[in-house]
Amino acid sequence: MRKDLQEKLKRMPKLLSIGQVAEIFSIHQDTLRNWEKEGILVPLRVGKRKDRKYRPEDVGVIMDKMGSKLTLPQLEQFLWKSADILRGKIDSSDYKKYIFGLLFYKRISDVWDEEYAQVMVEYKDETIARADYNHRFQVPKESRWSVIENRAENIGHKLNEVFDKLTNANSPKLDKIFDDLDFANKDKFPNETIQRLINHFSQYNFGDTYISSDILGDAYEYLIKQFAADAGKKGGDFFTPREVERVIIQILKPHKKDHIYDPTAGSGGFLLEAFHYLKGREDEKVARTLYLHGQEINIGTFAIAKINMFLHGLDSADIRRGDTLANPRFLDSNGSLNTFDICVANFPYAIKEWEYEIFKTNKYGRIDGYEMPPKKNADYAFILHILKSMNANGRAGVVVPHGVLFKSDVSSRIRKQILENDLIEAVIAMPAKLFYGVGIPVAIIIFSKNKPDNHKKKVLIIDAEKDFSKGKNQNSLRHQDIQKIVRAYDNYKDVEGYARVVSLKEIEENEFNLNVRRYVDNTENEEEIDVAAVWKELKLIEKERQSIGKKVTGFIKDLKYPV
């Protein structure tokens, strides 16, 4: 039985009212009444009013009916409460890595216990039950959750030891996952605080029998989003709004066995969105044929992405750590950049301090045919890296600041070269305030190495700035907004006030400026005003006002007040 239910039931009388049962199991009373009608439940009827009273055996029936699995809302609420334990102890921007680390540790330990028990039931042989081949992750005996759960002193130091052992036992699979965690700092983590966290996570079993990977993955995504909102502007460093990712993935439409690459992976949202897209379009078996690749420079965010993949059951996703511009990690046997069917990215904007000199050596051919990007702005360095990472039929969807579309420094010459190579298929202006703590509007550029014939020497310009749901601190895209963008791209036709197919000749005449407002006029038609009629109406109103004024003056005189 779930530990949280055990605790609730301990505090309750032997006979429970329908309200108490509904509260314990977080279900509606009507659900219990319906099960009674179906003959599943037969509670006692007590007193003149025949009130329902549920005995321990009735509670057992309810548990069998419901199963032991947590619902998504229950799990989300539980995980967010774990942040409350750390509030005031450490910076809010650091909550996520510690809570994510503990959640993942609890998951793999509980799954190991579950796998062990299942093999023991079947073979009744402890050696077989402990064998590595029967476990998704290796959890040494001294690293089980129960060891931490039963420890009273120096818990933080012990946790650090456990993480080291888990990493070594699962290398290279778990390399660097726990590297950014240090629970041994007693100023940040007094023993009592860690004890509270451990007790909190010990309430639930996180094995597959209790929480499916789909539910756990969705709850983890919820937690990432909550932490991004809590972190404000810094939240954008590791979280791209799912609606923005959805627009790009639905435009690019991943197919079976596609290789998908995100050079600035963040929490891995783009890669997961590709998986979910194909799972919804085909099925999970087909979705699992995707090859998912990502690189992330920040060690904490790298760990979030890796854990995100593991919790969604995507162990084969290849997430690597490193600086994509200075040290790209996806290379072929010749030391050249790997190329992919689909590239996706929301790179960090306008980085001033980047490895300009290393990029300038052109070791990977990223500036072949292009000028060197500006020294104080890495935007086009990321774009050139992505273009080089696309295979002969490759497509890419990239979120960019609007300056990429029209800046007139060296960036304009790179933009000109990209357009002359006919690599830009579409430009989509997005609404402002879609990202946490960032008010600037962004655009999406769709690149293609092999455009369809009817797209060649053309660029589809879409102005989607006005279609969104307004929020207090952040705007969001609705389902209809996403579908409107995707439909406009798929049709690749003019839509008055919204989209235009523009020839490269016209773009050249505009000095290769891609400012959306130059091509799509989204201003609403103002109603024509009949000035003569309005003037006539104003004169009538003035005449009426004077007439009323005379009457009021007469009334005042009749009352013998001075006028």
Side-chain angles (χ1 to χ4, degrees):
M1 184 189 294
R2 279 173 24 202
K3 290 185 179 181
D4 63 317
L5 296 181
Q6 285 179 326
E7 291 302 316
K8 286 182 180 180
L9 289 169
K10 280 179 187 176
R11 297 192 296 268
M12 294 289 182
K14 289 291 184 185
L15 294 180
L16 303 174
S17 69
I18 189 170
Q20 289 171 323
V21 172
E23 189 272 331
I24 289 170
F25 288 96
S26 300
I27 55 177
H28 200 279
Q29 293 183 21
D30 286 346
T31 301
L32 295 168
R33 294 188 184 99
N34 289 334
W35 288 346
E36 190 176 333
K37 288 177 184 177
E38 294 168 15
I40 296 169
L41 273 176
V42 187
L44 290 176
R45 293 293 192 142
V46 176
K48 292 182 179 179
R49 298 191 310 173
K50 300 293 183 183
D51 290 333
R52 294 173 175 82
K53 292 294 180 180
Y54 295 84
R55 300 156 293 186
E57 55 264 41
D58 298 318
V59 171
V61 170
I62 295 168
M63 291 194 68
D64 289 340
K65 178 66 178 173
M66 287 187 64
S68 300
K69 291 182 184 271
L70 285 167
T71 64
L72 180 58
Q74 287 173 331
L75 186 55
E76 288 175 347
Q77 185 181 36
F78 167 81
L79 291 175
W80 188 238
K81 279 184 178 178
S82 61
D84 292 336
I85 297 172
L86 295 179
R87 293 191 196 283
K89 310 291 193 309
I90 60 174
D91 291 339
S92 61
S93 59
D94 285 337
Y95 291 170
K96 58 186 184 298
K97 63 184 181 184
Y98 289 102
I99 290 170
F100 290 154
L102 278 179
L103 169 63
F104 182 56
Y105 167 37
K106 181 71 161 65
R107 169 70 165 181
I108 63 177
S109 181
D110 287 348
V111 168
W112 193 97
D113 289 342
E114 197 171 67
E115 291 164 342
Y116 174 84
Q118 288 169 352
V119 176
M120 282 296 289
V121 168
E122 187 173 356
Y123 294 99
K124 297 179 174 56
D125 186 310
E126 190 166 326
T127 302
I128 296 175
R130 292 182 183 279
D132 290 355
Y133 55 77
N134 280 317
H135 298 281
R136 182 178 166 198
F137 295 97
Q138 308 313 315
V139 184
K141 185 176 181 180
E142 64 276 16
S143 298
R144 308 274 160 71
W145 183 265
S146 57
V147 172
I148 294 295
E149 187 178 19
N150 295 323
R151 192 176 182 89
E153 300 294 333
N154 294 318
I155 305 173
H157 181 73
K158 184 62 179 177
L159 268 175
N160 285 0
E161 287 183 0
V162 164
F163 293 150
D164 286 341
K165 286 185 170 67
L166 285 172
T167 301
N168 292 333
N170 293 275
S171 184
K173 198 173 185 179
L174 296 187
D175 285 358
K176 302 185 188 303
I177 290 286
F178 301 110
D179 281 11
D180 201 31
L181 304 185
D182 181 12
F183 280 97
N185 185 330
K186 292 190 175 182
D187 290 331
K188 285 185 176 181
F189 294 104
N191 206 64
E192 313 81 69
T193 299
I194 302 180
Q195 186 75 69
R196 285 184 64 200
L197 266 179
I198 298 301
N199 290 342
H200 183 71
F201 276 99
S202 294
Q203 292 180 64
Y204 292 150
N205 187 313
F206 283 80
D208 284 326
T209 303
Y210 298 87
I211 302 173
S212 70
S213 61
D214 282 344
I215 293 291
L216 189 58
D218 288 346
Y220 186 79
E221 290 269 302
Y222 160 84
L223 205 56
I224 292 173
K225 184 176 181 179
Q226 291 298 105
F227 281 127
D230 208 42
K233 186 174 181 179
K234 290 184 178 180
D237 292 345
F238 60 89
F239 183 81
T240 301
R242 293 294 172 256
E243 313 96 272
V244 176
E245 294 170 341
R246 207 158 288 144
V247 168
I248 290 175
I249 293 299
Q250 290 188 20
I251 284 175
L252 297 178
K253 298 175 177 52
H255 294 95
K256 183 179 181 180
K257 295 185 179 181
D258 272 349
H259 288 255
I260 302 175
Y261 169 59
D262 186 344
T264 54
S267 59
F270 269 120
L271 303 179
L272 276 176
E273 191 58 44
F275 172 77
H276 290 317
Y277 169 84
L278 199 53
K279 181 180 176 182
R281 183 60 61 94
E282 302 282 346
D283 56 41
E284 184 169 343
K285 185 178 179 182
V286 174
R288 288 189 179 278
T289 67
L290 291 174
Y291 297 89
L292 306 176
H293 314 267
Q295 183 164 338
E296 173 56 43
I297 188 171
N298 181 285
I299 188 169
T301 307
F302 161 81
I304 291 172
K306 288 281 284 185
I307 293 171
N308 206 2
M309 297 300 143
F310 287 136
L311 293 183
H312 280 88
L314 299 173
D315 293 16
S316 62
D318 189 357
I319 311 296
R320 303 181 188 182
R321 183 169 175 252
D323 184 337
T324 291
L325 298 183
N327 183 27
R329 298 291 310 281
F330 289 92
L331 306 174
D332 63 21
S333 57
N334 298 317
S336 300
L337 291 181
N338 281 134
T339 58
F340 304 88
D341 301 297
I342 291 175
C343 297
V344 286
N346 176 29
F347 57 77
Y349 309 148
I351 294 179
K352 292 182 179 180
E353 301 296 329
W354 62 288
E355 298 295 346
Y356 176 86
E357 295 299 334
I358 294 177
F359 199 89
K360 192 177 180 180
T361 64
N362 200 28
K363 180 179 178 181
Y364 305 105
R366 292 178 286 193
I367 55 175
D368 288 347
Y370 297 99
E371 291 204 28
M372 182 65 193
K375 191 170 186 177
K376 293 296 183 180
N377 189 317
D379 289 352
Y380 268 98
F382 283 111
I383 290 172
L384 292 181
H385 174 86
I386 289 164
L387 292 178
K388 192 68 177 178
S389 300
M390 295 161 60
N391 63 27
N393 294 306
R395 297 158 289 147
V398 184
V399 185
V400 301
H402 271 239
V404 164
L405 305 178
F406 55 75
K407 275 190 174 178
S408 59
D409 55 13
V410 65
S411 301
S412 66
R413 296 194 290 276
I414 301 175
R415 186 171 60 247
K416 174 179 181 287
Q417 292 160 344
I418 294 171
L419 283 162
E420 287 176 337
N421 289 333
D422 202 15
L423 295 175
I424 297 180
E425 195 164 27
V427 174
I428 306 160
M430 303 297 285
K433 292 177 66 176
L434 290 178
F435 291 80
Y436 291 103
V438 180
I440 63 168
V442 298
I444 293 170
I445 301 180
I446 304 298
F447 297 98
S448 176
K449 283 278 185 77
N450 187 17
K451 288 184 179 183
D453 288 342
N454 63 326
H455 293 191
K456 288 178 178 175
K457 301 295 182 183
K458 299 172 185 174
V459 176
L460 175 66
I461 309 287
I462 298 174
D463 188 347
E465 289 183 346
K466 290 187 175 182
D467 299 313
F468 61 91
S469 174
K470 188 173 180 59
K472 184 177 179 182
N473 298 315
Q474 183 190 9
N475 298 326
S476 60
L477 297 177
R478 300 161 296 187
H479 175 74
Q480 63 262 35
D481 302 328
I482 296 171
Q483 292 309 303
K484 186 177 180 180
I485 295 170
V486 175
R487 190 164 53 247
Y489 172 84
D490 288 345
N491 293 334
Y492 217 80
K493 294 178 181 177
D494 292 355
V495 179
E496 187 175 353
Y498 186 75
R500 242 191 95 210
V501 179
V502 182
S503 69
L504 283 184
K505 187 175 185 301
E506 182 179 346
I507 293 172
E508 182 179 0
E509 289 169 355
N510 278 297
E511 298 179 326
F512 298 97
N513 188 315
L514 288 175
N515 190 338
V516 170
R517 295 290 173 83
R518 287 188 177 227
Y519 305 99
V520 180
D521 182 8
N522 70 358
T523 56
E524 296 177 4
N525 293 327
E526 294 184 3
E527 184 182 351
E528 289 188 10
I529 298 173
D530 186 338
V531 177
V534 171
W535 180 244
K536 185 177 179 181
E537 187 177 351
L538 285 173
K539 286 196 291 186
L540 285 172
I541 292 171
E542 178 61 21
K543 191 174 180 181
E544 289 177 10
R545 189 192 68 77
Q546 289 175 356
S547 175
I548 292 169
K550 287 179 181 177
K551 287 182 181 179
V552 172
T553 300
F555 292 148
I556 292 172
K557 284 180 179 179
D558 291 343
L559 293 170
K560 301 189 185 309
Y561 282 102
V563 178

